[in-house]
Each structure stands twice: as C-alpha cells, then as structure tokens.
Amino acid sequence: MKDITRDGNPVLRKQAETVKFPLSKEDRELGQNMMKYLEVSQDPEQCKKYHLRAGVGLAAPQVGVSKLMAAVLTPPEEDGKESPFKAIMVNPVIVSNSVQPAALTVGEGCLSVDKDIPGYVPRSDRVTIKYQDLDGNEHKVRLKHYPAIIVQHEIDHLHGTLFYDHIDTENPFSQAENEIFID
Ligand SMILES: CC(C)(C)[C@H](NC(=O)Nc1cc(F)cc(F)c1)C(=O)N(CC(=O)NO)CC1CCCC1
Ligand SMILES: [Zn+2]
C-alpha cells in the first residue's frame, strides 16, 4: 500500500498543478491507485491486514504528487439519505456552494494528520463541483451533507489547506449562524 505523506511534508502545503489531457499512463495509474487505496482501506479484512484507517477520500498530494487529482468513496453504510459518491476527480473545481454552513459533529481528521485536533470544521452544506474523469469527460455534480464535506476536504488538499486551518482556535466549538451538524 502507498505510504501517505504526513503533515509537515511541504507537498501538503503546495498549490497542486493542473493535470493535462490525454492523461499519461502514470497519471491514470495514480488515480486508479488512489481509488484502490480507499477500497482496500474500507474492506474490513484488508484494512486490518494493512493496518489502514478506513479512508473515504484521498488527494494526490497525500501520496506525494502535487497534481489536481482526488478520489472520493463515501462509505456504503451511509444512513441512506445521501446517495453514495464514488469518483476519481481530475482538476476538480467547486463552482458554487451553499451559504448554509455545515460541520461534522465529531470534527474532522485526516489521513495525513496523525494527531486528533478537536473542533468544528465549518464548511458548506451543499456544493456543486465540476471535474474531469480519467477519460477527460466533464462531470458536474451537486452534493450535500457528508459527501459534500468529504469533497471540500479533498479539494482543500489540492490547494495546500488542511482541515484544522478552518478551526477557530479561539473557540474551536463555536457555531456559525444556522450551521447544521452532520453525524
Ligand atoms: C482521517 C480518517 C478518519 C481516516 C477519515 N476516515 C473516515 O472518516 N472514515 C469513515 C467515516 C465514516 F463515517 C464511515 C466510515 F466507514 C469510514 C478519512 O479518510 N478522511 C479522508 C482524508 O483524510 N482525506 O484527505 C478524513 C475525512 C474527514 C472529513 C472528510 C474526510
Ligand atoms: Zn485529509
């Protein structure tokens, strides 16, 4: 399994580069390997075997590659409300986002950040994203709640932002006006 770059590695604080089409063989494999990592990490057997934390998203800088590519795999046992979202996103862009803020009740963690950092990470409850798939086809997707949180977390990585950058250090559990909390 790939080793994940940890906080402190400068690649996590860089602005990633646009990916050119047609994809090189290595870029295609990069995307496929990132999705594979998530699939393996969510498989109870394999995640035990490889001592992996079940990953729901991974951005290329986290495997040491400063390119605009990320993989998202929402876990199957969602509470059924949000449709599961599985995508390898190339050059993803948030084209619009709701004013309505949302945060995970339990806060966020990160595959690249080993320590727990408590606090609400205020994000948009709904986002519309555009991205290309590995074949270069354009996709435009509207996401809400948990899948929207994951995608915002991953796109942040592509711009050198980590989840704790958003936590209000003065009052980590401050709540924005009409913020919703996602379990
Ligand atoms: C940091 C880690 C805890 C491994 C987190 N996993 C996670 O939330 N798994 C999970 C959650 C469920 F609700 C049900 C389930 F089956 C598994 C994660 O992959 N990420 C991705 C990451 O670090 N990307 O760079 C952190 C998440 C915090 C909010 C969005 C992504
Ligand atoms: Zn992360």
Side-chain angles (χ1 to χ4, degrees), residues 104-156:
L104 296 185
T105 310
V106 295
E108 295 188 14
C110 181
L111 286 159
S112 298
V113 178
D114 292 327
K115 59 184 191 305
D116 276 343
I117 303 176
Y120 292 139
V121 179
R123 297 192 185 276
S124 296
D125 184 46
R126 296 177 296 285
V127 291
T128 301
I129 58 168
K130 273 173 96 167
Y131 66 91
Q132 291 162 279
D133 60 26
L134 295 178
D135 300 319
N137 305 308
E138 277 275 346
H139 296 261
K140 182 171 178 177
V141 180
R142 286 170 182 71
L143 296 168
K144 64 179 178 175
H145 305 334
Y146 189 52
I149 299 285
I150 301 172
V151 165
Q152 291 172 81
H153 178 110
E154 301 315 328
I155 291 177
D156 264 358

Side-chain angles (χ1 to χ4, degrees), residues 9-10 13 19 25 28 36 43 69 73 88 104 117 120 124 127 133 139-140 150 153-155 162 167-168:
N9 185 320
R13 290 304 190 176
V19 176
K25 186 166 169 295
R28 176 175 289 275
K36 189 100 193 79
D43 172 315
M69 199 185 288
L73 179 60
I88 299 169
L104 296 185
I117 303 176
Y120 292 139
S124 296
V127 291
D133 60 26
H139 296 261
K140 182 171 178 177
I150 301 172
H153 178 110
E154 301 315 328
I155 291 177
L162 295 176
I167 295 174
D168 175 350

Side-chain angles (χ1 to χ4, degrees), residues 21-140:
F21 282 92
L23 290 196
S24 63
K25 186 166 169 295
E26 67 177 344
D27 282 348
R28 176 175 289 275
E29 281 172 1
L30 170 67
Q32 290 167 335
N33 288 340
M34 285 164 45
M35 179 56 77
K36 189 100 193 79
Y37 178 93
L38 297 178
E39 287 165 341
V40 166
S41 76
Q42 286 190 23
D43 172 315
E45 292 311 306
Q46 304 215 37
C47 92
K48 238 199 318 284
K49 185 171 159 207
Y50 291 109
H51 308 294
L52 299 174
R53 296 196 288 175
V56 294
L58 189 64
Q62 295 181 279
V63 292
V65 178
S66 191
K67 288 188 176 179
L68 290 173
M69 199 185 288
V72 174
L73 179 60
T74 48
E77 65 278 1
E78 275 298 281
D79 41 11
K81 276 206 289 290
E82 303 90 21
S83 53
F85 182 60
K86 174 175 185 177
I88 299 169
M89 305 185 294
V90 183
N91 303 322
V93 175
I94 295 178
V95 292
S96 70
N97 55 283
S98 65
V99 172
Q100 166 109 49
L104 296 185
T105 310
V106 295
E108 295 188 14
C110 181
L111 286 159
S112 298
V113 178
D114 292 327
K115 59 184 191 305
D116 276 343
I117 303 176
Y120 292 139
V121 179
R123 297 192 185 276
S124 296
D125 184 46
R126 296 177 296 285
V127 291
T128 301
I129 58 168
K130 273 173 96 167
Y131 66 91
Q132 291 162 279
D133 60 26
L134 295 178
D135 300 319
N137 305 308
E138 277 275 346
H139 296 261
K140 182 171 178 177

